[in-house]
Amino acid sequence: DPDDPANYFPSFNAKPGDAAILIPVGNKTRASYTGSADYVYERLGGMSWATPYLAGLAALAFQVDPAIEPKTIVELWKATATKTDSGRVVNPVGFIDAVEKARDARAATAGK
């Protein structure tokens, strides 16, 4: 079940505790270089897939709150990560909820 963080495990080149948060990097479908209508399913991924994943989450955060500070994004990734036996796994839904709460709290403070 890809929605259950308990099913995640460290990749072949990572050990628990290597990172502040773990990023799901396997089981991805992506565009292929073989043609504009071709796609490839990748069962295993690597560390290089973590950067675009986090960049996408950051882009979503900026859509929710264009004034969010980059350091706040990183703090919220860590604060909302889900604990598993393998480590803390990024929680996109919890992260966006936290971005909304931070935005609303800042707006309420600015209105006083």
Side-chain angles (χ1 to χ4, degrees), residues 8-54:
Y8 288 90
F9 58 91
S11 70
F12 59 90
N13 60 353
K15 299 177 284 302
D18 275 355
I21 57 172
L22 300 172
I23 311 300
V25 296
N27 300 319
K28 303 261 191 256
T29 300
R30 63 172 179 81
S32 174
Y33 64 87
T34 60
S36 61
D38 296 343
Y39 294 88
V40 176
Y41 176 78
E42 301 282 357
R43 172 76 174 92
L44 297 175
M47 295 295 290
S48 65
W49 292 24
T51 300
Y53 187 97
L54 292 175

Side-chain angles (χ1 to χ4, degrees), residues 7-110:
N7 290 327
Y8 288 90
F9 58 91
S11 70
F12 59 90
N13 60 353
K15 299 177 284 302
D18 275 355
I21 57 172
L22 300 172
I23 311 300
V25 296
N27 300 319
K28 303 261 191 256
T29 300
R30 63 172 179 81
S32 174
Y33 64 87
T34 60
S36 61
D38 296 343
Y39 294 88
V40 176
Y41 176 78
E42 301 282 357
R43 172 76 174 92
L44 297 175
M47 295 295 290
S48 65
W49 292 24
T51 300
Y53 187 97
L54 292 175
L57 285 180
L60 291 173
F62 283 115
Q63 285 182 328
V64 170
D65 180 6
I68 193 169
E69 294 288 329
K71 70 176 184 172
T72 302
I73 292 173
V74 175
E75 291 166 0
L76 292 177
W77 283 335
K78 293 176 184 178
T80 60
T82 301
K83 285 185 181 181
T84 70
D85 290 341
S86 296
R88 297 177 58 76
V89 178
V90 69
N91 176 351
V93 174
F95 169 69
I96 294 301
D97 288 346
V99 170
E100 289 173 338
K101 288 178 186 173
R103 175 201 63 204
D104 296 346
R106 192 176 65 249
T109 302

